[in-house]
Coordinates of all heavy atoms in Angstrom, one line a residue:
M1 N 20.3 -8.1 7.9 CA 20.3 -6.8 7.1 C 18.9 -6.4 6.7 O 18.5 -5.2 6.7 CB 21.1 -7.0 5.9 CG 21.0 -5.8 5.0 SD 22.3 -5.9 3.7 CE 21.7 -4.5 2.8
S2 N 18.0 -7.4 6.6 CA 16.6 -7.0 6.3 C 16.0 -6.2 7.3 O 15.3 -5.2 7.0 CB 15.8 -8.3 6.1 OG 14.5 -7.9 5.7
G3 N 16.3 -6.5 8.6 CA 15.8 -5.7 9.7 C 16.4 -4.2 9.7 O 15.7 -3.3 10.0
D4 N 17.6 -4.2 9.3 CA 18.3 -2.8 9.3 C 17.7 -2.0 8.2 O 17.5 -0.8 8.3 CB 19.8 -3.1 9.1 CG 20.5 -3.6 10.3 OD1 19.9 -3.4 11.4 OD2 21.6 -4.2 10.2
M5 N 17.5 -2.7 7.1 CA 16.9 -1.9 5.9 C 15.5 -1.4 6.3 O 15.0 -0.4 5.9 CB 16.9 -2.8 4.7 CG 18.2 -3.0 4.1 SD 19.1 -1.5 3.6 CE 18.1 -1.0 2.2
E6 N 14.7 -2.3 7.0 CA 13.3 -1.8 7.4 C 13.4 -0.7 8.4 O 12.6 0.3 8.3 CB 12.5 -3.0 8.0 CG 12.2 -4.0 6.9 CD 11.5 -5.2 7.5 OE1 11.1 -5.2 8.7 OE2 11.4 -6.2 6.8
L7 N 14.4 -0.6 9.3 CA 14.6 0.5 10.1 C 15.0 1.7 9.3 O 14.4 2.8 9.5 CB 15.8 0.2 11.1 CG 16.3 1.4 11.9 CD1 15.1 1.8 12.9 CD2 17.5 1.1 12.7
G8 N 15.9 1.6 8.3 CA 16.2 2.8 7.5 C 15.0 3.2 6.6 O 14.7 4.4 6.4
L9 N 14.1 2.2 6.3 CA 12.9 2.5 5.5 C 12.0 3.4 6.3 O 11.5 4.4 5.9 CB 12.2 1.2 5.1 CG 10.9 1.4 4.3 CD1 11.1 2.0 3.0 CD2 10.3 0.0 4.2
S10 N 11.9 3.1 7.6 CA 10.9 3.9 8.5 C 11.5 5.3 8.6 O 10.7 6.2 8.7 CB 10.7 3.2 9.8 OG 11.9 3.1 10.5
V11 N 12.9 5.4 8.7 CA 13.5 6.7 8.9 C 13.2 7.6 7.6 O 12.8 8.7 7.7 CB 15.0 6.6 9.1 CG1 15.7 8.0 8.9 CG2 15.3 6.0 10.4
L12 N 13.4 6.9 6.4 CA 13.2 7.7 5.1 C 11.7 8.0 5.0 O 11.4 9.1 4.5 CB 13.7 6.9 4.0 CG 15.2 6.7 3.9 CD1 15.6 5.8 2.7 CD2 15.9 8.1 3.8
L13 N 10.8 7.1 5.3 CA 9.4 7.4 5.2 C 9.0 8.5 6.1 O 8.2 9.4 5.8 CB 8.6 6.1 5.4 CG 8.4 5.1 4.4 CD1 7.7 3.9 4.7 CD2 7.8 5.7 3.1
S14 N 9.4 8.5 7.3 CA 9.1 9.6 8.3 C 9.6 10.9 7.9 O 9.0 11.9 8.2 CB 9.5 9.2 9.7 OG 11.0 9.3 9.8
C15 N 10.7 11.0 7.2 CA 11.3 12.2 6.7 C 10.5 12.8 5.6 O 10.3 14.0 5.4 CB 12.8 12.1 6.3 SG 13.9 11.8 7.7
K16 N 10.2 11.9 4.7 CA 9.5 12.4 3.4 C 8.0 12.4 3.4 O 7.5 13.2 2.7 CB 10.1 11.6 2.2 CG 9.4 10.3 2.1 CD 9.9 9.6 0.8 CE 9.0 8.5 0.4 NZ 7.6 8.9 0.2
S17 N 7.4 11.7 4.3 CA 5.9 11.7 4.2 C 5.2 13.0 4.5 O 4.3 13.3 3.8 CB 5.4 10.6 5.1 OG 5.7 10.9 6.5
P18 N 5.7 13.8 5.4 CA 5.0 15.1 5.6 C 5.3 16.0 4.4 O 4.6 17.0 4.2 CB 5.6 15.7 6.8 CG 6.4 14.7 7.4 CD 6.7 13.6 6.4
H19 N 6.3 15.8 3.5 CA 6.7 16.7 2.5 C 6.1 16.3 1.1 O 6.2 17.1 0.3 CB 8.2 16.8 2.5 CG 8.8 17.2 3.8 ND1 8.8 18.4 4.3 CD2 9.4 16.4 4.7 CE1 9.3 18.5 5.4 NE2 9.7 17.3 5.7
I20 N 5.7 15.1 0.9 CA 5.3 14.6 -0.4 C 3.8 14.3 -0.4 O 3.4 13.6 0.4 CB 6.2 13.3 -0.9 CG1 7.6 13.7 -1.0 CG2 5.6 12.8 -2.1 CD1 8.5 12.7 -1.5
H21 N 3.1 15.0 -1.3 CA 1.7 14.8 -1.4 C 1.3 14.0 -2.6 O 0.1 14.0 -3.1 CB 1.1 16.2 -1.6 CG 1.4 17.1 -0.4 ND1 0.8 16.9 0.8 CD2 2.2 18.1 -0.2 CE1 1.1 17.8 1.6 NE2 2.1 18.5 1.1
I22 N 2.1 13.2 -3.1 CA 1.8 12.2 -4.2 C 1.7 10.9 -3.6 O 2.3 10.5 -2.7 CB 2.8 12.3 -5.4 CG1 4.2 11.9 -4.9 CG2 2.7 13.7 -6.0 CD1 5.2 11.8 -6.1
H23 N 0.9 10.0 -4.3 CA 0.7 8.7 -3.8 C 1.8 7.7 -4.2 O 2.0 6.7 -3.5 CB -0.7 8.1 -4.4 CG -1.8 8.9 -3.9 ND1 -2.3 9.0 -2.6 CD2 -2.6 9.8 -4.7 CE1 -3.3 9.8 -2.5 NE2 -3.5 10.4 -3.7
G24 N 2.6 7.9 -5.2 CA 3.5 6.9 -5.6 C 4.8 7.0 -4.8 O 5.7 6.1 -4.9
G25 N 5.1 8.1 -4.0 CA 6.3 8.2 -3.2 C 6.5 7.2 -2.2 O 7.6 6.6 -2.1
A26 N 5.5 6.7 -1.5 CA 5.7 5.6 -0.6 C 5.9 4.3 -1.3 O 6.7 3.4 -0.8 CB 4.4 5.4 0.3
N27 N 5.4 4.1 -2.4 CA 5.7 2.8 -3.2 C 7.1 2.6 -3.6 O 7.7 1.6 -3.5 CB 4.8 2.8 -4.4 CG 3.2 2.7 -4.1 OD1 2.9 2.3 -3.0 ND2 2.4 3.1 -5.0
V28 N 7.8 3.8 -3.9 CA 9.1 3.7 -4.3 C 10.0 3.3 -3.1 O 10.8 2.5 -3.2 CB 9.6 5.0 -4.9 CG1 11.1 5.1 -5.1 CG2 8.8 5.3 -6.2
S29 N 9.7 3.8 -1.9 CA 10.4 3.5 -0.6 C 10.2 2.2 -0.2 O 11.1 1.5 0.2 CB 10.0 4.5 0.4 OG 10.2 5.8 0.1
V30 N 9.0 1.6 -0.3 CA 8.7 0.2 0.0 C 9.4 -0.8 -0.9 O 10.0 -1.8 -0.5 CB 7.2 -0.1 0.0 CG1 6.9 -1.5 0.2 CG2 6.6 0.8 1.2
A31 N 9.6 -0.4 -2.2 CA 10.3 -1.2 -3.1 C 11.8 -1.3 -2.7 O 12.4 -2.3 -2.9 CB 10.2 -0.7 -4.5
G32 N 12.4 -0.2 -2.2 CA 13.6 -0.1 -1.7 C 13.9 -1.2 -0.5 O 14.9 -1.8 -0.4
G33 N 12.8 -1.4 0.3 CA 12.9 -2.4 1.4 C 13.0 -3.8 0.8 O 13.6 -4.7 1.3
G34 N 12.3 -4.0 -0.3 CA 12.3 -5.3 -0.9 C 13.6 -5.6 -1.6 O 14.2 -6.7 -1.4
I35 N 14.3 -4.6 -2.1 CA 15.6 -4.7 -2.6 C 16.6 -5.0 -1.6 O 17.5 -5.9 -1.7 CB 16.0 -3.5 -3.4 CG1 15.2 -3.3 -4.7 CG2 17.5 -3.4 -3.8 CD1 15.3 -1.9 -5.3
G36 N 16.4 -4.5 -0.3 CA 17.2 -4.7 0.8 C 17.2 -6.2 1.2 O 18.1 -6.8 1.6
G37 N 16.0 -6.8 1.1 CA 15.8 -8.3 1.3 C 16.6 -9.1 0.4 O 17.3 -10.1 0.8
I38 N 16.6 -8.7 -0.9 CA 17.4 -9.4 -1.9 C 18.9 -9.3 -1.6 O 19.6 -10.3 -1.7 CB 17.0 -8.9 -3.3 CG1 15.6 -9.2 -3.6 CG2 18.0 -9.5 -4.3 CD1 15.1 -8.6 -4.8
I39 N 19.4 -8.1 -1.3 CA 20.8 -7.9 -1.0 C 21.2 -8.7 0.3 O 22.2 -9.3 0.3 CB 21.0 -6.4 -0.8 CG1 20.9 -5.6 -2.0 CG2 22.4 -6.2 -0.2 CD1 20.9 -4.1 -1.9
A40 N 20.3 -8.8 1.2 CA 20.6 -9.5 2.4 C 20.7 -11.0 2.1 O 21.7 -11.7 2.6 CB 19.5 -9.4 3.5
S41 N 19.9 -11.6 1.3 CA 19.9 -13.0 1.0 C 21.2 -13.3 0.2 O 21.7 -14.5 0.2 CB 18.7 -13.4 0.2 OG 18.6 -12.8 -1.0
V42 N 21.7 -12.3 -0.6 CA 22.9 -12.5 -1.4 C 24.2 -12.3 -0.5 O 25.2 -13.1 -0.7 CB 22.9 -11.7 -2.6 CG1 24.2 -11.7 -3.4 CG2 21.8 -12.0 -3.5
S43 N 24.2 -11.4 0.4 CA 25.4 -11.1 1.1 C 25.7 -12.0 2.3 O 26.8 -12.1 2.7 CB 25.4 -9.6 1.5 OG 24.3 -9.4 2.4
F44 N 24.6 -12.5 2.9 CA 24.8 -13.4 4.0 C 24.8 -14.9 3.5 O 23.8 -15.5 3.5 CB 23.7 -13.2 5.1 CG 23.9 -12.0 5.9 CD1 23.3 -10.8 5.5 CD2 24.7 -12.1 7.0 CE1 23.5 -9.7 6.4 CE2 25.0 -10.9 7.8 CZ 24.4 -9.7 7.4
R45 N 25.9 -15.3 2.9 CA 26.0 -16.6 2.3 C 26.4 -17.7 3.3 O 27.1 -17.5 4.2 CB 27.0 -16.6 1.1 CG 26.6 -15.4 0.1 CD 27.8 -15.3 -0.9 NE 29.1 -15.2 -0.2 CZ 30.2 -15.2 -0.9 NH1 30.3 -15.5 -2.2 NH2 31.4 -15.1 -0.2
Q46 N 26.0 -18.9 2.9 CA 26.2 -20.1 3.9 C 27.8 -20.3 3.9 O 28.3 -20.6 5.0 CB 25.5 -21.3 3.3 CG 25.7 -22.5 4.2 CD 25.0 -22.3 5.5 OE1 24.0 -21.7 5.7 NE2 25.6 -22.9 6.6
Q47 N 28.5 -20.1 2.9 CA 29.9 -20.3 2.9 C 30.7 -19.3 3.7 O 31.8 -19.6 4.0 CB 30.5 -20.5 1.5 CG 30.3 -19.2 0.7 CD 29.1 -19.3 -0.4 OE1 28.2 -20.0 0.0 NE2 29.3 -18.9 -1.5
D48 N 30.0 -18.2 4.1 CA 30.7 -17.2 5.0 C 30.4 -17.4 6.4 O 30.9 -16.6 7.3 CB 30.2 -15.8 4.6 CG 30.6 -15.4 3.2 OD1 31.7 -15.8 2.7 OD2 29.9 -14.6 2.5
R49 N 29.7 -18.5 6.7 CA 29.4 -18.8 8.1 C 30.6 -19.0 9.0 O 30.7 -18.5 10.2 CB 28.5 -20.0 8.2 CG 28.0 -20.4 9.5 CD 27.1 -21.5 9.6 NE 26.6 -21.8 11.0 CZ 25.9 -22.8 11.3 NH1 25.6 -23.7 10.3 NH2 25.5 -23.0 12.5
A50 N 31.6 -19.7 8.5 CA 32.8 -19.9 9.3 C 33.6 -18.6 9.7 O 34.2 -18.5 10.7 CB 33.7 -20.8 8.5
T51 N 33.5 -17.6 8.8 CA 34.2 -16.3 9.1 C 33.3 -15.3 9.9 O 33.7 -14.2 10.1 CB 34.6 -15.7 7.8 OG1 33.5 -15.4 7.0 CG2 35.6 -16.6 7.0
G52 N 32.1 -15.7 10.2 CA 31.2 -14.9 10.9 C 30.4 -14.0 10.1 O 30.0 -12.8 10.5
Y53 N 30.2 -14.3 8.8 CA 29.4 -13.6 7.8 C 30.0 -12.2 7.7 O 29.3 -11.1 7.6 CB 28.0 -13.5 8.3 CG 27.3 -14.8 8.3 CD1 26.9 -15.4 9.6 CD2 26.9 -15.4 7.2 CE1 26.3 -16.6 9.7 CE2 26.3 -16.7 7.3 CZ 26.0 -17.3 8.5 OH 25.4 -18.5 8.5
I54 N 31.3 -12.0 7.6 CA 32.0 -10.7 7.5 C 31.5 -10.0 6.3 O 31.1 -8.8 6.4 CB 33.4 -10.9 7.4 CG1 34.0 -11.5 8.7 CG2 34.2 -9.5 7.1 CD1 33.8 -10.7 10.0
P55 N 31.3 -10.5 5.0 CA 30.8 -9.7 3.9 C 29.4 -9.2 4.1 O 29.1 -8.1 3.8 CB 30.9 -10.7 2.7 CG 31.8 -11.8 3.1 CD 31.7 -11.9 4.6
G56 N 28.6 -10.0 4.8 CA 27.2 -9.5 5.1 C 27.2 -8.5 6.1 O 26.4 -7.5 6.0
L57 N 28.0 -8.5 7.1 CA 28.1 -7.4 8.1 C 28.6 -6.2 7.5 O 28.1 -5.1 7.8 CB 28.9 -7.9 9.3 CG 28.4 -9.1 10.2 CD1 29.5 -9.5 11.2 CD2 27.1 -8.7 10.8
W58 N 29.6 -6.2 6.7 CA 30.1 -5.0 6.0 C 29.0 -4.4 5.0 O 28.9 -3.2 4.9 CB 31.4 -5.2 5.3 CG 32.6 -5.2 6.3 CD1 33.3 -6.2 6.7 CD2 33.0 -4.1 7.0 NE1 34.2 -5.8 7.7 CE2 34.1 -4.5 7.9 CE3 32.6 -2.7 7.0 CZ2 34.7 -3.6 8.8 CZ3 33.3 -1.9 7.9 CH2 34.3 -2.3 8.8
T59 N 28.3 -5.3 4.4 CA 27.2 -4.8 3.6 C 26.2 -4.1 4.4 O 25.6 -3.0 3.9 CB 26.6 -6.0 2.8 OG1 27.6 -6.7 2.0 CG2 25.5 -5.5 1.9
T60 N 25.9 -4.6 5.6 CA 24.9 -3.9 6.5 C 25.5 -2.6 6.9 O 24.7 -1.6 7.0 CB 24.7 -4.8 7.7 OG1 24.3 -6.1 7.3 CG2 23.6 -4.2 8.7
V61 N 26.7 -2.5 7.2 CA 27.3 -1.3 7.7 C 27.3 -0.2 6.5 O 26.8 0.9 6.8 CB 28.8 -1.4 8.1 CG1 29.5 -0.1 8.2 CG2 28.8 -2.2 9.4
A62 N 27.6 -0.7 5.3 CA 27.5 0.2 4.2 C 26.1 0.7 3.9 O 25.8 1.9 3.6 CB 28.0 -0.5 2.9
A63 N 25.1 -0.2 4.0 CA 23.7 0.2 3.9 C 23.3 1.2 4.9 O 22.5 2.2 4.6 CB 22.8 -1.1 4.0
Q64 N 23.7 1.1 6.1 CA 23.3 2.0 7.2 C 24.0 3.4 6.9 O 23.3 4.5 7.1 CB 23.8 1.5 8.6 CG 23.0 0.3 9.1 CD 21.5 0.7 9.1 OE1 21.1 1.6 9.7 NE2 20.7 0.0 8.5
I65 N 25.2 3.4 6.3 CA 25.9 4.7 6.0 C 25.1 5.3 4.9 O 24.8 6.6 4.9 CB 27.4 4.4 5.6 CG1 28.1 4.1 6.9 CG2 27.9 5.7 5.0 CD1 29.5 3.5 6.6
V66 N 24.7 4.6 3.9 CA 23.9 5.2 2.8 C 22.6 5.7 3.3 O 22.1 6.7 2.9 CB 23.7 4.0 1.6 CG1 22.6 4.5 0.7 CG2 25.0 3.7 1.0
I67 N 21.9 5.0 4.2 CA 20.6 5.4 4.8 C 20.8 6.8 5.5 O 20.0 7.7 5.3 CB 20.0 4.4 5.7 CG1 19.5 3.2 4.7 CG2 18.9 4.9 6.5 CD1 19.1 2.0 5.5
C68 N 21.9 6.8 6.3 CA 22.1 8.1 7.1 C 22.4 9.2 6.2 O 21.9 10.4 6.3 CB 23.3 7.9 8.0 SG 22.9 6.8 9.4
I69 N 23.3 9.0 5.2 CA 23.5 10.1 4.2 C 22.2 10.5 3.4 O 22.0 11.7 3.3 CB 24.7 9.6 3.2 CG1 25.9 9.5 4.0 CG2 24.8 10.6 2.0 CD1 27.1 8.9 3.2
T70 N 21.5 9.5 3.0 CA 20.3 9.9 2.2 C 19.2 10.6 3.1 O 18.6 11.6 2.7 CB 19.6 8.6 1.8 OG1 20.5 7.8 0.9 CG2 18.3 8.9 0.9
A71 N 19.1 10.2 4.3 CA 18.2 10.9 5.3 C 18.7 12.3 5.5 O 17.9 13.2 5.6 CB 18.0 10.1 6.5
S72 N 20.0 12.5 5.6 CA 20.5 13.8 5.9 C 20.3 14.7 4.7 O 19.9 15.9 4.9 CB 22.0 13.7 6.3 OG 22.2 13.0 7.4
L73 N 20.6 14.2 3.5 CA 20.4 15.0 2.3 C 18.9 15.3 2.1 O 18.6 16.5 1.7 CB 20.9 14.2 1.1 CG 22.5 14.0 1.0 CD1 22.9 13.2 -0.2 CD2 23.1 15.4 1.0
L74 N 18.0 14.4 2.3 CA 16.6 14.7 2.3 C 16.2 15.7 3.2 O 15.4 16.7 2.9 CB 15.8 13.4 2.5 CG 15.7 12.4 1.3 CD1 15.0 11.2 1.7 CD2 15.0 13.1 0.1
M75 N 16.7 15.7 4.4 CA 16.4 16.8 5.4 C 16.8 18.1 4.9 O 16.1 19.1 5.0 CB 17.1 16.4 6.7 CG 16.7 17.4 7.9 SD 17.7 17.2 9.3 CE 19.3 17.7 8.7
L76 N 18.1 18.2 4.4 CA 18.6 19.5 3.9 C 17.7 20.0 2.7 O 17.5 21.2 2.6 CB 20.0 19.4 3.6 CG 21.0 19.1 4.7 CD1 22.4 18.8 4.2 CD2 21.0 20.3 5.7
Y77 N 17.4 19.1 1.8 CA 16.6 19.5 0.7 C 15.3 20.0 1.0 O 14.8 21.1 0.6 CB 16.5 18.2 -0.3 CG 15.6 18.5 -1.4 CD1 16.0 19.4 -2.5 CD2 14.3 18.0 -1.5 CE1 15.1 19.6 -3.6 CE2 13.4 18.2 -2.5 CZ 13.9 19.1 -3.5 OH 12.9 19.3 -4.6
F78 N 14.6 19.2 1.9 CA 13.2 19.6 2.3 C 13.3 21.0 3.1 O 12.3 21.8 2.9 CB 12.5 18.6 3.1 CG 12.1 17.4 2.3 CD1 12.4 16.1 2.7 CD2 11.6 17.5 1.0 CE1 12.0 15.0 2.0 CE2 11.2 16.4 0.3 CZ 11.5 15.1 0.8
R79 N 14.3 21.1 3.9 CA 14.4 22.4 4.6 C 14.5 23.6 3.7 O 13.9 24.6 3.9 CB 15.6 22.3 5.6 CG 15.7 23.6 6.5 CD 16.8 23.4 7.5 NE 16.5 22.4 8.5 CZ 17.5 21.8 9.2 NH1 18.7 22.2 9.1 NH2 17.2 20.9 10.0
S80 N 15.4 23.5 2.7 CA 15.5 24.4 1.7 C 14.2 24.8 0.9 O 13.9 25.9 0.7 CB 16.7 24.2 0.8 OG 16.4 23.2 -0.1
Q81 N 13.5 23.7 0.5 CA 12.3 23.9 -0.2 C 11.2 24.6 0.7 O 10.5 25.4 0.2 CB 11.7 22.6 -0.7 CG 12.6 21.9 -1.7 CD 12.9 22.7 -3.0 OE1 11.9 23.2 -3.6 NE2 14.2 23.0 -3.2
N82 N 11.2 24.2 2.0 CA 10.2 24.9 2.9 C 10.6 26.3 3.1 O 9.7 27.1 3.2 CB 10.2 24.2 4.2 CG 9.4 22.9 4.2 OD1 8.5 22.8 3.3 ND2 9.7 21.9 5.1
K83 N 11.9 26.6 3.2 CA 12.3 28.1 3.3 C 11.9 28.9 2.1 O 11.4 30.0 2.2 CB 13.8 28.2 3.6 CG 14.2 27.8 5.0 CD 15.7 27.9 5.2 CE 16.1 27.5 6.6 NZ 17.5 27.7 6.9
K84 N 12.0 28.3 0.9 CA 11.7 28.9 -0.3 C 10.1 29.2 -0.3 O 9.6 30.2 -0.7 CB 12.0 28.1 -1.6 CG 13.5 28.2 -1.9 CD 13.8 27.4 -3.2 CE 15.2 27.4 -3.4 NZ 15.5 26.6 -4.6
A85 N 9.4 28.2 0.2 CA 7.9 28.2 0.2 C 7.5 29.4 1.2 O 6.6 30.1 1.0 CB 7.3 26.9 0.6
D86 N 8.2 29.5 2.3 CA 7.9 30.4 3.3 C 8.1 31.8 2.8 O 7.4 32.8 3.2 CB 8.8 30.3 4.6 CG 8.3 28.9 5.4 OD1 7.2 28.5 5.2 OD2 9.1 28.5 6.2
R87 N 9.2 32.0 2.0 CA 9.4 33.3 1.4 C 8.5 33.6 0.2 O 8.5 34.7 -0.3 CB 10.9 33.4 1.0 CG 11.8 33.4 2.1 CD 13.3 33.7 1.6 NE 13.8 32.8 0.5 CZ 14.5 31.8 0.8 NH1 15.0 31.5 2.0 NH2 14.9 31.0 -0.2
G88 N 7.7 32.6 -0.2 CA 6.8 32.8 -1.4 C 7.5 32.6 -2.7 O 6.9 32.9 -3.7
E89 N 8.6 32.1 -2.7 CA 9.4 31.8 -4.0 C 9.0 30.5 -4.6 O 9.3 30.3 -5.8 CB 10.9 31.7 -3.7 CG 11.5 33.1 -3.2 CD 12.9 32.9 -2.7 OE1 13.5 31.8 -3.0 OE2 13.4 33.8 -2.2
K90 N 8.3 29.6 -4.0 CA 7.9 28.3 -4.5 C 6.6 27.8 -3.9 O 6.3 28.1 -2.7 CB 9.1 27.3 -4.0 CG 8.9 26.0 -4.6 CD 10.1 25.1 -4.3 CE 9.9 23.7 -4.9 NZ 10.3 23.6 -6.3
V91 N 5.9 27.2 -4.7 CA 4.6 26.5 -4.2 C 4.8 25.0 -4.2 O 5.3 24.5 -5.2 CB 3.5 26.9 -5.2 CG1 2.2 26.2 -4.8 CG2 3.2 28.3 -5.3
L92 N 4.7 24.5 -3.0 CA 4.9 23.0 -2.9 C 3.7 22.2 -3.2 O 2.6 22.4 -2.6 CB 5.4 22.7 -1.4 CG 6.7 23.5 -1.0 CD1 7.0 23.1 0.5 CD2 7.8 23.0 -1.9
A93 N 3.7 21.3 -4.1 CA 2.7 20.4 -4.5 C 1.4 21.1 -4.8 O 0.3 20.5 -4.5 CB 2.5 19.3 -3.4
G94 N 1.5 22.3 -5.3 CA 0.3 23.0 -5.7 C -0.5 23.5 -4.5 O -1.6 24.2 -4.7
H95 N 0.0 23.6 -3.3 CA -0.6 24.1 -2.2 C 0.0 25.4 -1.8 O 1.2 25.5 -1.7 CB -0.6 23.2 -1.0 CG -1.3 21.9 -1.2 ND1 -2.6 21.8 -1.3 CD2 -0.8 20.7 -1.5 CE1 -3.0 20.6 -1.5 NE2 -1.9 19.8 -1.6
V96 N -0.7 26.4 -1.5 CA -0.2 27.7 -1.0 C -0.5 27.9 0.5 O -1.5 27.6 1.0 CB -0.9 28.9 -1.8 CG1 -0.3 30.2 -1.4 CG2 -0.6 28.7 -3.3
G97 N 0.5 28.5 1.2 CA 0.3 28.8 2.6 C 0.7 27.6 3.4 O 1.6 26.8 3.2
E98 N -0.1 27.4 4.6 CA 0.3 26.5 5.5 C 0.2 25.0 5.1 O 0.8 24.1 5.5 CB -0.6 26.6 6.8 CG -0.2 27.8 7.7 CD 1.2 27.7 8.2 OE1 1.6 26.6 8.7 OE2 1.9 28.7 8.2
L99 N -0.7 24.8 4.1 CA -0.9 23.4 3.5 C 0.4 23.0 2.8 O 0.6 21.8 2.6 CB -2.0 23.3 2.6 CG -3.4 23.5 3.3 CD1 -4.5 23.5 2.2 CD2 -3.6 22.4 4.3
S100 N 1.3 23.9 2.4 CA 2.5 23.4 1.7 C 3.5 22.9 2.6 O 4.5 22.4 2.1 CB 3.0 24.7 0.9 OG 3.4 25.6 1.8
R101 N 3.4 22.9 3.8 CA 4.4 22.4 4.7 C 4.2 21.1 5.1 O 3.4 20.3 5.2 CB 4.5 23.3 6.0 CG 5.1 24.6 5.5 CD 5.3 25.4 6.7 NE 6.7 24.9 7.0 CZ 7.5 25.4 8.0 NH1 7.1 26.4 8.7 NH2 8.7 25.0 8.2

């Protein structure tokens, strides 16, 4: 699961990095990867080895679904914010014009 969470982390970082101009945004995303490692160590338990780690696999599937939903929602949100900025209704991160994208 840790590898899957890192894959999801790269997807989320690539979606948000062009849109966020603050330094703390990446730190929050990286902390999410650390939480994924903790979840993996708890969900893939030694006593589940005989059953093929079914709880761990379902946890991985659930995490991937959450990542896909989160990435899709972020894409829609950033698209709407960019459209507002293009119409002049919103200034993104204090930048006006092409720098706001």
Side-chain angles (χ1 to χ4, degrees):
M1 179 168 164
S2 181
D4 290 336
M5 288 301 288
E6 289 175 14
L7 172 66
L9 177 65
S10 64
V11 169
L12 291 176
L13 280 174
S14 68
C15 286
K16 77 174 197 55
S17 63
H19 304 285
I20 294 184
H21 298 283
I22 59 174
H23 298 291
N27 294 338
V28 172
S29 296
V30 172
I35 292 170
I38 294 170
I39 292 171
S41 65
V42 172
S43 62
F44 286 93
R45 303 175 308 168
Q46 185 65 33
Q47 58 262 35
D48 295 330
R49 183 176 182 187
T51 62
Y53 299 107
I54 297 297
L57 294 174
W58 279 111
T59 303
T60 303
V61 168
Q64 290 301 307
I65 291 170
V66 168
I67 288 168
C68 290
I69 290 170
T70 303
S72 298
L73 291 175
L74 281 174
M75 181 190 67
L76 293 173
Y77 172 74
F78 289 137
R79 184 178 293 164
S80 72
Q81 296 302 305
N82 283 336
K83 285 182 181 179
K84 286 181 183 178
D86 289 342
R87 291 190 303 261
E89 298 172 6
K90 183 171 181 89
V91 176
L92 298 178
H95 299 285
V96 179
E98 288 298 317
L99 291 176
S100 65
R101 293 191 83 173

